[in-house]
Amino acid sequence: MKIRSMKLREAHKNNGVSSYCTVQWDLTAEHIVTSSSSDSVISIHDALVPSATPKFLRNHKDGVTNLALSPNSTCLASGSTDRSVKLYKFPGGEFESNISRFTLPIRALSFNRSGTMLAAGGDDDGIKLIITIDGSISRVLKGHRGSVTAIAFDPKSEYLASVDSVGTVMIWNLELGTTIHTLKNIAPNSSSDFSTLTALGWSPDGEMLAVSGLKNDIVMYDRDTAEKLFTLRGDHTKPVCFLAWSLNGKYLATSGLDRQVLIWDIATKHDIERQKFDEMISCMSWKPHGNALAVIDVMGKYGVWDSVVPSSMKSPTEGVPDSNSHKSNGLVFFEEEEKEPSISGSLSDDGEDSFLGSEPTSRKRLRKQIEYDDSDEGEDINDGMSLLSKSESRKKPSIGDKESMKKSKATPTSTLSFTGPKMQEAFQPGSTPAQPGKRRFLCYNMLGSITTMKHDEYSHIEIDFHDTGRGPRIPAMTDRFGFTMASLNENGSVFANLCNEKNMSTLMYRPFKSWANNSEWSMRFEEEEVRAVALGSSWVAAVTSLNFLRIFTEGGLQRHVVSLDGPVVTASGFGDELAVVTHSSPTLPSNEQQMLEFSVFNVPNGTETIRGRLPLTPGSCLTWFGFSEEGQLTSFDSMGFLRAFTKQYGGRWLPLFSASKLKKKEENYWMVGLNSSKLFSILCKSPDKFPQAFPKPVLTLLDLSIPIASSDLGAENLENEFIISNMRLSEIQRRIQEMDALGQDTTSLDDEAFNIETALDRCILRLIHSCCNGDKLVRAIELVKLLTHEKSVRGAIKLVTTLKLPNLAERFNTILEERLLKEATETMLKETTEKKDTLPKTNGDTIKTFTSPEISKAREPVNELKSPQLTSPSFVKKKATQEPAKVGKVLEPKETTKPDLKALVNKNVADLKEGEVKQVEVQRSSNPFAKSSKNQEKGSLLDSLKMLKKNESPSNK
């Protein structure tokens, strides 16, 4: 029998470590679920579109050791080395509950056929039988001496079979909770490596139990007597580590430590197909509809083996045994939620569109947020209200919804409808809405966080730094003003509150370090209230309801009061720069577009450096605004688009990230900050749009990805890197020019620019390779012209030569020659210009003279440029100091290259015709085409070039 092979795709990164991985088909065959004991993330893959980005469930802290799907595929259970068992709705993936906890890692999970009971076992002493209705423990089955590695419910729901790491199989009576059979030392010992768990499984009719044997075989045992019926022994050279019955019970798939998967015909007791893999297959799952098998190996790579059973034999889904369990509606806790009818009448819709108010409970939760958020988080309210109003306009409300709407009419504070689009309310970046009895963030940024917890008469404020060694330890503060916003930097923190019945709006600044006592200060506003605050290197700023921008020093001196053009939306500071966003006009009713304007002020100089419109995605609102760690101004809107301001194209905003390709319906990204390559955010589960302050949220790092079009090369990642690197290089070069103009040292920026140029060249070379493979040669020529370093062009020539593209290599050579000639000519003209400035003056006029030393006959012919032996000056221009030229002395250059004579002659003829040219001796080093000679003659540059052409050897033509 010929051994076939198939390719697998990566589902989990195990970092080169063999780990037990799990794979499951759902009942509809539309999804494949995978997990790895080396990865805390569960992945739900689209089986119909394998290339689509999977849905990730990130609820476990440590690796996921096992998965189990309920028979009707409405519930997913997961066990982990973090000792917890979690339940999720499926396929939406909404987290349902921590249904149980263990003291040691979990190794095995299994649902009964009705989905009302979940068995979980592992390194703990005992198997827990968990009722999925309420999470209660029905029984704990104790008797195994080793870790429980596999569990299987009898399809008739009478027995439970389990096997442990020392090879003991036990069959339990579920009604009595006692063992009816104990089979010792019949399975391989797996206590040394949990990535190879012992195989165990009931046949679909429940008459046989299959167990991996000690002789690289599979042994079948009788259901009632536990007597050995027969064995399946074939070409496995090592023990079987996993087995899976087909749905009709006619076939059995087995995976061995020998990295083979065999398909057995139970009737003939022979294997009928096999696959050889690069790594051991740790788990398999038969497709519910069709002839396919999903597999995953110990390195986290999965795939689907199609046409598992030969077409001449019966399908693995033909004649599936009937079971009364199919009459069950699934888990009881799902049925309880259906007692309140939803708009769509299905539970999956609630999971996918819960924020649109499809259930009364979601709307009640939204009302509570509106009541509490009315003071400081208006943008979340408006967003939620607009979404809700849209859903109500196109869907009929349920009975529960109608009752809720009647109550809302009676209570003005809970009104959900409004006329026309509203202008976005002011917000503070990094602040979360207030929630009764819960801690909230006043500020959360890349440096640290400020949290507050409200008590009866006051609030308790704490300041924490992410890096405890970076900032000082700040004692907690008692807040009696009711602060609702704050800002934090290395120097101190600023707080402010809105007006309320007890307190007027107050601004307070607390420095972290000061040589003087009582350095804290505060300001009160009687007829206005603070809407946004910001901090800089030596200043504090507040924007008020009167559209006043108030600027204070760190000591509390009031320096400036500036009137802004419109109501403030938000503000942010970085160093000397203060950025403020205001409304420029009312919202456009056509697409609910917010009309915003931004201004950037240099506070110490009292100048406005940048001003313009702030672009937003149509229908969105601004959710975050600030500076990157490098000081680049950025914005983030509710549609998940991140934009950065650049001086390119006269000052424009470039999109650097789009959450549309990553964001799932049940996920929201809460922006924290960014650097030159990463976006820092917190992942929130829908309908939440902001994180809870306790427990401390976990930052999610996302790569910057420009929303580029799908390329015909299939190299979107390279094109994304190319655009981002170009933008970074442009920004650094702009900063170098600004520092040069101020006479500041730019050494560090020069080094950074060189590193980016090098990385950009590597990216371009990979793009050239993709173009060559895709037969896009014109694009390859365009790319090679963008290379910065000479060495990179040599590499491109070598690359296309290796790919056997001689025409392209010749064109690359031509491009290199032209650039080398241009470089040499610019150097020569520059040094000639410098010589003009050093010539003596006569009668107040500078003697305008120009000459070039004669190019003597070359000792060796100038060889034609070829890719492996190109020797020319680097394209990178470096500043060099030279000694003053000595008239009459000509130095010999070290190397000579063949220029494009025709182009250079035409250029210099045009230059010579511009005016009268007189001769003067110059230093020979200014002419890279000069050769040493004892007999030197004076001549024009044109004569010298003619001489060079005449002296060319025939071999070079």
Side-chain angles (χ1 to χ4, degrees):
M1 184 182 297
K2 183 179 178 181
I3 299 179
R4 301 162 59 187
S5 61
M6 60 180 289
K7 293 183 179 180
L8 305 180
R9 65 175 62 202
E10 184 178 77
H12 302 274
K13 294 183 179 180
N14 289 354
N15 299 322
V17 179
S18 296
S19 306
Y20 181 73
C21 300
T22 314
V23 64
Q24 295 278 330
W25 279 98
D26 71 340
L27 187 62
T28 62
E30 295 178 357
H31 303 91
I32 297 177
V33 192
T34 62
S35 67
S36 170
S37 58
S38 293
D39 189 1
S40 61
V41 178
I42 301 170
S43 299
I44 303 178
H45 306 267
D46 191 333
L48 304 179
V49 186
S51 60
T53 304
K55 180 182 301 180
F56 299 112
L57 309 182
R58 308 176 186 272
N59 297 84
H60 283 290
K61 296 180 180 179
D62 296 319
V64 180
T65 53
N66 215 312
L67 295 174
L69 268 172
S70 61
N72 58 3
S73 293
T74 60
C75 181
L76 173 68
S78 63
S80 169
T81 53
D82 64 10
R83 306 178 295 281
S84 67
V85 179
K86 301 181 185 293
L87 290 185
Y88 313 84
K89 291 183 181 180
F90 194 85
E94 297 87 354
F95 174 73
E96 190 65 33
S97 66
N98 287 307
I99 197 168
S100 182
R101 291 197 66 85
F102 284 65
T103 58
L104 294 172
I106 293 99
R107 303 290 176 188
L109 295 173
S110 179
F111 276 104
N112 64 352
R113 290 300 294 269
S114 63
T116 58
M117 184 178 290
L118 175 69
D123 297 350
D124 272 20
D125 182 18
I127 301 171
K128 291 184 180 181
L129 302 181
I130 308 167
I131 304 300
T132 56
I133 299 173
D134 54 3
S136 60
I137 306 299
S138 173
R139 293 184 185 275
V140 179
L141 308 178
K142 295 185 177 182
H144 281 289
R145 295 185 177 180
S147 299
V148 177
T149 58
I151 300 173
F153 274 99
D154 161 38
K156 300 180 180 180
S157 298
E158 295 178 1
Y159 301 147
L160 177 75
S162 58
V163 61
D164 59 26
S165 57
V166 297
T168 299
V169 175
M170 303 182 74
I171 301 177
W172 309 79
N173 185 305
L174 292 176
E175 184 177 359
L176 302 176
T178 58
T179 57
I180 57 177
H181 300 292
T182 301
L183 309 176
K184 296 183 178 180
N185 301 321
I186 67 168
N189 190 314
S190 62
S191 57
S192 61
D193 185 8
F194 283 114
S195 66
T196 58
L197 302 184
T198 307
L200 177 80
W202 291 95
S203 61
D205 59 5
E207 297 299 326
M208 292 184 295
L209 178 67
V211 182
S212 59
L214 299 175
K215 298 180 180 180
N216 307 333
D217 56 359
I218 303 96
V219 184
M220 300 293 178
Y221 294 91
D222 182 73
R223 164 191 173 81
D224 297 316
T225 64
E227 294 180 356
K228 183 187 293 187
L229 299 178
F230 59 90
T231 61
L232 299 177
R233 185 177 299 170
D235 291 335
H236 276 302
T237 58
K238 292 183 180 181
V240 173
C241 61
F242 192 86
L243 59 86
W245 287 90
S246 65
L247 273 69
N248 59 7
K250 296 183 182 298
Y251 308 103
L252 183 73
T254 60
S255 170
L257 302 182
D258 55 1
R259 302 180 182 178
Q260 287 192 97
V261 172
L262 272 60
I263 309 300
W264 300 84
D265 185 348
I266 301 301
T268 62
K269 302 178 180 60
H270 290 93
D271 61 294
I272 55 176
E273 277 291 348
R274 73 185 66 177
Q275 283 266 17
K276 183 72 174 181
F277 294 86
D278 296 332
E279 298 291 344
M280 184 185 69
I281 300 299
S282 62
C283 188
M284 299 173 290
S285 178
W286 287 88
K287 187 176 182 179
H289 312 294
N291 183 13
L293 183 72
V295 300
I296 190 169
D297 65 19
V298 293
M299 304 308 293
K301 295 182 179 180
Y302 86 106
V304 177
W305 177 2
D306 293 315
S307 303
V308 180
V309 177
S311 58
S312 59
M313 304 180 69
K314 286 187 177 181
S315 169
T317 58
E318 182 179 348
V320 176
D322 293 331
S323 176
N324 295 330
S325 62
H326 291 291
K327 299 178 182 179
S328 171
N329 291 328
L331 301 182
V332 178
F333 63 78
F334 289 148
E335 295 173 359
E336 291 176 347
E337 291 184 359
E338 287 183 341
K339 291 180 182 178
E340 290 189 40
S342 63
I343 293 175
S344 62
S346 65
L347 291 165
S348 60
D349 290 345
D350 171 51
E352 295 175 355
D353 203 19
S354 59
F355 190 69
L356 294 181
S358 59
E359 287 194 1
T361 54
S362 300
R363 301 182 68 173
K364 291 176 183 178
R365 184 184 307 115
L366 183 59
R367 284 196 198 96
K368 291 180 181 179
Q369 290 182 3
I370 292 175
E371 293 174 5
Y372 301 136
D373 300 353
D374 188 50
S375 60
D376 59 340
E377 284 296 326
E379 78 284 3
D380 288 336
I381 302 169
N382 295 340
D383 192 35
M385 291 170 67
S386 61
L387 287 174
L388 189 56
S389 62
K390 289 178 185 179
S391 66
E392 290 179 350
S393 64
R394 65 172 181 266
K395 294 183 180 180
K396 294 183 178 180
S398 63
I399 298 173
D401 288 334
K402 291 179 180 179
E403 295 177 356
S404 301
M405 292 174 67
K406 290 179 181 179
K407 295 179 181 179
S408 66
K409 291 179 181 179
T411 307
T413 57
S414 61
T415 300
L416 294 176
S417 62
F418 58 92
T419 58
K422 287 189 176 181
M423 294 171 63
Q424 179 179 349
E425 296 291 335
F427 72 95
Q428 186 68 31
S431 176
T432 59
Q435 294 179 294
K438 292 186 178 181
R439 186 177 295 275
R440 59 168 292 208
F441 287 115
L442 294 179
C443 175
Y444 193 104
N445 57 25
M446 299 287 285
L447 181 64
S449 64
I450 302 177
T451 58
T452 182
M453 178 73 176
K454 188 175 182 181
H455 296 281
D456 294 335
E457 299 294 334
Y458 61 92
S459 296
H460 185 75
I461 293 180
E462 294 182 356
I463 300 176
D464 298 307
F465 293 94
H466 302 316
D467 184 359
T468 55
R470 182 177 179 180
R473 181 179 177 85
I474 308 300
M477 181 181 72
T478 300
D479 169 26
R480 301 189 183 277
F481 297 98
F483 292 129
T484 57
M485 67 195 80
S487 185
L488 172 72
N489 67 4
E490 295 85 353
N491 301 327
S493 56
V494 61
F495 304 86
N497 67 294
L498 301 172
C499 295
N500 53 51
E501 297 178 356
K502 296 181 180 180
N503 299 299
M504 65 179 66
S505 185
T506 303
L507 177 74
M508 187 178 75
Y509 177 70
R510 295 185 69 193
F512 294 148
K513 294 180 181 179
S514 177
W515 60 270
N517 296 328
N518 196 24
S519 54
E520 176 183 307
W521 55 267
S522 62
M523 300 284 174
R524 294 192 178 188
F525 308 93
E526 295 182 358
E527 297 180 356
E528 57 185 323
E529 64 179 6
V530 179
R531 298 290 177 84
V533 294
L535 283 177
S537 57
S538 59
W539 50 265
V540 179
V543 188
T544 70
S545 56
L546 296 181
N547 301 342
F548 285 164
L549 169 60
R550 297 180 176 271
I551 298 176
F552 308 84
T553 65
E554 283 188 323
L557 178 63
Q558 302 188 51
R559 288 296 309 274
H560 305 285
V561 180
V562 181
S563 290
L564 299 177
D565 294 339
V568 66
V569 178
T570 190
S572 181
F574 180 85
D576 293 339
E577 293 185 330
L578 167 64
V580 180
V581 178
T582 58
H583 287 281
S584 59
S585 66
T587 305
L588 294 179
S590 58
N591 56 1
E592 298 185 8
Q593 179 71 42
Q594 298 287 333
M595 306 299 290
L596 305 183
E597 186 179 63
F598 76 99
S599 298
V600 180
F601 303 99
N602 187 298
V603 176
N605 296 337
T607 58
E608 184 182 50
T609 57
I610 307 171
R611 184 175 183 176
R613 283 283 305 277
L614 181 66
L616 292 176
T617 308
S620 69
C621 59
L622 184 66
T623 58
W624 186 90
F625 185 76
F627 294 86
S628 68
E629 287 191 339
E630 293 78 21
Q632 190 169 19
L633 191 62
T634 52
S635 68
F636 191 76
D637 62 31
S638 57
M639 294 294 186
F641 282 90
L642 174 74
R643 295 176 175 86
F645 182 81
T646 176
K647 291 295 183 67
Q648 293 178 342
Y649 296 98
R652 292 289 178 179
W653 290 82
L654 303 183
L656 293 185
F657 176 81
S658 172
S660 58
K661 295 184 179 180
L662 301 177
K663 183 180 177 181
K664 306 301 178 182
K665 291 183 179 180
E666 72 281 359
E667 294 177 349
N668 291 311
Y669 292 110
W670 192 72
M671 180 78 175
V672 173
L674 74 156
N675 57 21
S676 58
S677 60
K678 295 288 183 180
L679 171 68
F680 294 80
S681 66
I682 296 175
L683 189 64
C684 302
K685 297 297 180 181
S686 184
D688 294 334
K689 292 193 173 184
F690 53 86
Q692 300 296 327
F694 184 84
K696 189 175 182 180
V698 179
L699 283 176
T700 300
L701 274 68
L702 303 171
D703 292 326
L704 297 182
S705 56
I706 293 176
I708 57 178
S710 297
S711 172
D712 52 3
L713 288 178
E716 285 83 1
N717 291 336
L718 289 176
E719 292 175 322
N720 176 74
E721 180 184 350
F722 169 72
I723 298 176
I724 290 180
S725 297
N726 268 306
M727 191 192 71
R728 288 177 57 197
L729 183 60
S730 175
E731 188 68 19
I732 291 176
Q733 289 174 344
R734 180 186 65 81
R735 290 165 58 190
I736 290 175
Q737 292 176 358
E738 292 177 352
M739 294 179 68
D740 271 338
L742 298 175
Q744 299 176 355
D745 183 25
T746 62
T747 304
S748 60
L749 287 179
D750 289 337
D751 295 339
E752 185 177 356
F754 179 80
N755 293 334
I756 295 177
E757 288 174 349
T758 305
L760 182 60
D761 278 6
R762 287 196 296 265
C763 177
I764 294 175
L765 288 174
R766 293 197 296 270
L767 278 172
I768 291 174
H769 186 266
S770 299
C771 290
C772 294
N773 290 336
D775 198 24
K776 306 294 182 183
L777 304 185
V778 175
R779 199 176 307 174
I781 293 176
E782 294 172 345
L783 285 167
V784 79
K785 293 179 180 179
L786 300 177
L787 290 170
T788 306
H789 303 296
E790 174 193 353
K791 186 177 180 181
S792 301
V793 183
R794 296 176 186 274
I797 297 173
K798 186 175 181 181
L799 172 64
V800 297
T801 303
T802 305
L803 295 176
K804 298 180 179 179
L805 298 171
N807 292 334
L808 193 60
E810 183 178 353
R811 290 182 178 272
F812 283 9
N813 264 322
T814 303
I815 293 172
L816 179 61
E817 291 177 10
E818 292 175 353
R819 294 187 65 172
L820 292 174
L821 178 59
K822 181 179 179 181
E823 181 79 16
T825 306
E826 289 178 353
T827 303
M828 179 182 63
L829 296 178
K830 179 181 178 181
E831 294 182 353
T832 304
T833 304
E834 292 176 354
K835 296 304 297 179
K836 291 181 181 179
D837 297 336
T838 61
L839 291 177
K841 297 182 179 180
T842 304
N843 298 328
D845 297 327
T846 304
I847 302 176
K848 299 181 180 180
T849 56
F850 184 85
T851 187
S852 175
E854 178 183 341
I855 303 176
S856 61
K857 185 176 182 180
R859 299 172 184 174
E860 297 180 1
V862 180
N863 295 327
E864 185 177 1
L865 294 175
K866 294 186 178 180
S867 56
Q869 295 86 16
L870 290 175
T871 57
S872 302
S874 172
F875 294 148
V876 181
K877 299 181 181 180
K878 298 183 178 179
K879 298 179 180 180
T881 57
Q882 299 181 353
E883 296 181 358
K886 298 181 180 180
V887 180
K889 184 177 181 180
V890 182
L891 300 178
E892 179 182 355
K894 295 182 178 179
E895 297 180 357
T896 304
T897 57
K898 176 185 175 181
D900 188 344
L901 298 175
K902 183 177 180 180
L904 186 60
V905 168
N906 293 337
K907 180 179 183 303
N908 286 280
V909 166
D911 293 338
L912 292 172
K913 289 180 179 180
E914 292 181 359
E916 182 182 355
V917 178
K918 300 181 181 180
Q919 297 181 350
V920 66
E921 291 187 37
V922 296
Q923 186 178 356
R924 181 180 295 184
S925 59
S926 64
N927 184 0
F929 308 113
K931 284 282 184 174
S932 60
S933 177
K934 294 181 179 179
N935 300 323
Q936 301 181 17
E937 298 179 1
K938 299 180 180 179
S940 67
L941 178 60
L942 181 60
D943 295 335
S944 300
L945 293 175
K946 290 181 179 180
M947 183 71 69
L948 176 60
K949 184 175 181 180
K950 181 179 179 181
N951 292 336
E952 276 191 304
S953 63
S955 61
N956 293 330
K957 297 182 180 179

